[in-house]
Amino acid sequence: MAAPGAPAGAENGSEAQLAAALADVPELARLLDTDPYLKPFAPDFQRRYKKFNQFLSSIGENEGGIDKFSRGYESFGIHRCTDGGLYCKEWAPGAEGVFLTGDFSGWNPFSHPYKKLDYGKWELYIPPKQNKSVLIPHGSKLKVFITSKSGEILYRISPWAKYVVRENDNVNYDWVHWDPEDPYKFKHSRPKKPRSLRIYESHVGISSHEGKIASYKHFTSSVLPRIKDLGYNCIQLMAIMEHAYYASFGYQITSFFAASSRYGTPEELKELVDTAHSMGIIVLLDVVHSHASKNSEDGLNIFDGTDSCYFHSGPRGTHELWDSRLFNYSSWEVLRFLLSNIRWWLEEYCFDGFRFDGVTSMLYHHHGMGQGFSGDYNEYFGLQVDEDALVYLMLANHLIHTLYPNSITIAEDVSGMPALCSPTSQGGGGFDYRLAMAIPDKWIQLLKEFKDEDWNMGNIVYTLTNRRYLEKCIAYAESHDQALVGDKTLAFWLMDAEMYTNMSVLAPFTPVIDRGIQLHKMIRLITHALGGEGYLNFMGNEFGHPEWLDFPRKGNNESYHYARRQFNLTDDDLLRYKFLNNFDRDMNRLEERCGWLSAPQAYVSEKHEDNKIITFERAGLLFIFNFHPSKSYTDYRVGTALPGKFKIVLDSDAPEYGGHQRLDHNTDFFSEAFEHNGRPYSLLVYIPSRVALILQNADLPN
């Protein structure tokens, strides 16, 4: 029946709307079967899908398909022709005139004018020298010289520039023509898409223990082997797209097609990706299409003299909190630029997918500012949603998965928008995963606000398991966000200043260090095993990196002291950091063997508040956690679905992990047909305080 107070015929109207939506969106019925509460919003999914489909059709009619449309980098910018000449093309709809200048012309601004084409495009052909060599050699400095309609004279870097550098103490970056005679050739094929995603979130510049900007070559030779040894099968590279301000952590992009030159050359980044592939590690790019730097002389802003070239004009084009510019996702040429940018990183650098930054800001006109996101479905539909941006994300995911079906896309969305990680054919966003952003917040809250004995087991389990059915999540206890200055890593919340004085194995455990080391392992393991379908760790946090992250800036006298990762600490046998590193490695290696991340969600059989015990089963393994700070339990009954003999396969109390060795790994545990906590079998286990255990049925194949 119709809702109380609804006009006559409302029920028939909603049924007709639902039928129309089901007819227009190929697999909407599957989405609505999964989540019937979305039925009232079927017209929203219909409208989004139709808009997405209309763009695809229009691209097909006007550009010959999204395949051609996403190859903008093959014509825009500067390209060597087969005859040795150069073809140059730009989009500058607000310009009165466009010219190319640089080393090749003695910086004469007017010697090489572009010809105006339709739709705000400009082109220039530069013939070769008499000896057929190019007029603009590799390594030359260039500028686009623009005269605006208001009479301004502007020197700009092409939005399609492949390489930009900042020399000496220069404020701005220079555009350097990148066209090497002997470009890097990839030797290794892309690894297969892993069944379980274990991500090592990485920043090349801070990857050395020295106080300097580390290089692509350093990361390739020194950090990749560590990542491989730790059992991660995926790297998420941050701050690769060029950004003028190092302390922005790579989130204020100035040149979208340029790999950051502060770490080395484009060829050296390609070698890094290729070497990772040779180790069976896939590489994701942290892509920032949510906003752009306000820089104009070495960024996209006011490229053609107007504030509306790539961005919305007026207030809609500025993010007040980030002080950055916002793309106009309804613009044809902006779509070409962004989709071509996606393809560029896939094809030129052989990245295996993307973590999309700032998705919440893209999805809503309010950019998520001042929003609590209670979970009410009305928050995700209606006028507050920026459907132009949402449709762009659908197009981007469609392109990525059409070109490379094994590619992976991850959304950084704090709002929890339903269907963001459902296929576009269902009217969804098309992402493969979303970040489970509530999990790190929960751990920080517990450590800040509660004594250990007051931790709520049910609330921990709820936070770790509260995710949308059939929409995959990347779980993490902490990421780079928690490591930044002004915040604290989990290790620092747990151990704080004692990390500087009491991490030597030659000194006895202090209560603070003992608690910190044991809980650090337990928090990571329960997050890994219960929290999602993928797992992420920020570089260095696996061994409890003792210091926060702060890039050189005026506020710290341009110091690099905190813009580094002290991997040397985990190599020191006399320090306890090695124990956390060992545990992280063996946790990942066990997941690789048993595959709990790719298994169905866990069955939680116990979350006992007084005993502080959590037990669950996933991928045929029995996980047992005792969070009690002091109580150990002899012959504690634990339910299981399986009969037979069980063995310990991971024990956080083992000596190699800085534990107290209270368990005998030669012990066999036999389950009996004694129902317990809703499981048909159960077994008796000794569970020491502050310990995490994984038992495996010895009768099952490894």
Side-chain angles (χ1 to χ4, degrees), residues 594 599 617-623 640 642 646 695-697 700:
C594 301
E617 292 167 281
R618 192 175 186 188
L621 299 171
L622 178 55
F623 295 81
T640 175
L642 297 170
F646 286 77
L695 304 185
Q696 187 174 36
N697 191 298
L700 294 177

Side-chain angles (χ1 to χ4, degrees), residues 486-505:
D487 208 334
K488 283 185 180 182
T489 62
L490 290 179
F492 233 62
W493 279 113
L494 287 162
M495 296 177 277
D496 211 16
E498 286 204 25
M499 297 186 79
Y500 296 114
T501 55
N502 297 323
M503 286 295 272
S504 169
V505 297

Side-chain angles (χ1 to χ4, degrees), residues 509 513-514 517-518 521 576 578-580 582-583 652-661:
F509 262 135
I513 295 296
D514 187 14
I517 283 181
Q518 310 320 327
K521 294 176 289 186
R576 291 189 164 105
K578 65 179 182 180
F579 297 137
L580 299 179
N582 292 345
F583 185 78
S652 68
D653 205 41
E656 62 266 32
Y657 309 138
H660 298 287
Q661 204 172 353

Side-chain angles (χ1 to χ4, degrees), residues 210-223:
E210 298 178 71
K212 64 178 186 180
I213 297 177
S215 67
Y216 294 125
K217 281 200 166 290
H218 167 81
F219 192 93
T220 302
S221 62
S222 300
V223 184

